[in-house]
Amino acid sequence: MTTPPIHELTDRARDVFRIVVESYLDNGAPVGSRTISKISALNLSPASIRNVMQDLEEAGLLAAPHTSAGRMPTQSGLRLFVDGMMQASAPSAEERAAIEARAGQAGPVEEALANTTATLSGLSACAGLVLVPKSEPVLRQFGFVPLSHDRALAVLVGEDGSVENRVVEIPGGIDPVALQQAANYMSAMLAGLTLADARARIERDLRQQRAALNSAAAALVERGLAVWSEDGGRRPVLIVRGQARLIDTAATEDLDRVRQLLDELEGKEEIARLLDSAREGEATRIFIGSENKLFALSGSSVIAKPVRALDGRVVGVVGVIGPTRLNYARVVPMVDFTAATLARILA
């Protein structure tokens, strides 16, 4: 069944449809004709409203969960409402201040991201998500510590004081002098460079035979940097906060759906791919229910917005996940504002 465009609905049908959707999103319950006749100024009898709701059901926009129950929007109905009827409300001054305060706190960037995501989760009553590229450390010092005859610990110290260790395989019985020579070369020549720039310089120097290293030390230098590249130095980092907010009063009536959603949230790699798909384009992306295969079983919605630096580069993606009946008109602008706020600390 093809969902009719919004302009093909009569004024009466649009009014009834809007009331059903807004009421459902507000309380999560199906809406009956008597309820509509009492809360609206349509001046329509319950019988007339029932006829309109029947037409909307036949058009695939509403559904009746039970024979005697009221109507609720279908996934197609929610999509039509979000795309054509929703009247967004900007975040309040208090909400904007809360988001900006957490983003502006002193400390590591990852902590600011986690705090801001937690605030977004609390304000939206959803789980907050943020996806950013893992920042490459700028090298300050590099060393090798022998562990056995064929293994060593490669120690990287970043300009920010961070220390990372990786176990690397080395040729059996290698001279300890070669380990020290490789470490000295890397600390002297590569300080102040990112891993990508350092690797490019090493490859160029070795190719042009400009590195004063013997073959064993040269191999160690290449292997030491390669370990970090192979380890996914550029793999995106996903932060999820507020999963407990997904278990609200209404959710307890559908625990299987909630369990499914929480299981899906454990698959961070899949969620990262979903958020990464929102990097293209300027607008906020809204995935409703089965429009995305990842959350089809739990019937959840994802709202995601690219985070752009001043020069237009996409430096991350921020969003929320919650039930399909979340308050899109309120949450979409909140995600937009959070993306703009994070852009200032990620630029």
Side-chain angles (χ1 to χ4, degrees):
M1 178 185 298
T2 302
T3 304
I6 193 68
H7 64 79
E8 290 188 6
L9 298 180
T10 65
D11 291 342
R12 176 182 292 185
R14 278 199 297 271
D15 288 339
V16 171
F17 176 67
R18 177 181 54 77
I19 293 171
V20 171
V21 175
E22 290 179 346
S23 179
Y24 172 75
L25 295 180
D26 186 53
N27 57 42
V31 186
S33 55
R34 283 191 182 278
T35 300
I36 295 176
S37 66
K38 292 177 181 179
I39 67 175
S40 70
L42 297 179
N43 294 320
L44 294 175
S45 67
S48 297
I49 294 173
R50 279 195 298 273
N51 290 334
V52 174
M53 294 171 75
Q54 180 63 38
D55 293 339
L56 292 169
E57 185 174 354
E58 292 175 358
L61 299 176
L62 298 182
H66 307 290
T67 303
S68 59
R71 303 299 199 281
M72 56 190 289
T74 61
Q75 181 176 298
S76 297
L78 285 174
R79 171 54 63 187
L80 182 69
F81 175 80
V82 167
D83 290 346
M85 300 183 70
M86 183 178 71
Q87 295 181 338
S89 55
S92 67
E94 291 78 10
E95 290 168 339
R96 294 196 301 271
I99 293 171
E100 290 177 327
R102 298 305 292 273
Q105 286 182 335
V109 171
E110 290 77 10
E111 186 175 325
L113 292 174
N115 290 338
T116 307
T117 306
T119 301
L120 175 62
S121 169
L123 294 174
S124 65
C126 300
L129 313 167
V130 65
L131 177 74
V132 294
K134 185 176 182 180
S135 58
E136 285 195 285
V138 175
L139 299 174
R140 186 175 75 190
Q141 189 176 354
F142 203 101
F144 287 105
V145 178
L147 297 177
S148 65
H149 77 287
D150 60 354
R151 292 196 308 164
L153 190 67
V155 183
L156 179 150
V157 181
E159 288 284 3
D160 60 356
S162 61
V163 179
E164 293 192 46
N165 303 316
R166 299 289 187 276
V167 176
V168 298
E169 295 181 0
I170 60 175
I174 191 171
D175 187 345
V177 174
L179 285 174
Q180 190 61 51
Q181 184 184 17
N184 290 343
Y185 169 81
M186 296 177 76
S187 295
M189 301 296 294
L190 307 181
L193 300 179
T194 65
L195 286 170
D197 291 340
R199 193 170 189 187
R201 175 177 289 187
I202 281 178
E203 290 174 350
R204 183 179 65 249
D205 287 357
L206 293 178
R207 185 172 59 251
Q208 298 174 358
Q209 297 183 337
R210 291 164 53 186
L213 299 169
N214 61 34
S215 59
L220 281 170
V221 169
E222 287 187 296
R223 182 56 183 155
L225 282 179
V227 166
W228 269 269
S229 299
E230 293 167 3
D231 194 45
R234 295 182 180 179
R235 186 170 54 236
V237 173
L238 175 68
I239 298 173
V240 182
R241 291 291 183 271
Q243 294 97 315
R245 299 185 187 281
L246 299 172
I247 309 176
D248 58 9
T249 303
T252 57
E253 301 173 3
D254 191 2
L255 289 179
D256 287 340
R257 182 191 67 79
V258 175
R259 290 192 187 99
Q260 180 65 44
L261 175 55
L262 294 177
D263 287 343
E264 290 163 346
L265 285 175
E266 290 298 316
K268 290 191 174 184
E269 185 176 342
E270 294 293 331
I271 300 174
R273 277 201 284 267
L274 168 63
L275 291 183
D276 201 50
S277 70
R279 293 168 62 90
E280 302 299 326
E282 298 288 339
T284 302
R285 295 287 302 275
I286 302 174
F287 305 92
I288 301 176
S290 62
E291 291 177 355
N292 178 265
K293 293 181 180 179
L294 176 60
F295 297 112
L297 294 178
S298 63
S300 305
S301 288
V302 176
I303 300 173
K305 173 79 171 183
V307 179
R308 293 185 178 274
L310 293 178
D311 60 4
R313 291 178 300 113
V314 175
V315 292
V317 181
V318 66
V320 299
I321 178 171
T324 54
R325 63 172 188 83
L326 60 81
N327 189 337
Y328 298 91
R330 178 172 174 268
V331 176
V332 170
M334 194 176 294
V335 171
D336 289 346
F337 181 79
T338 303
T341 303
L342 291 180
R344 295 196 289 273
I345 66 173
L346 291 176

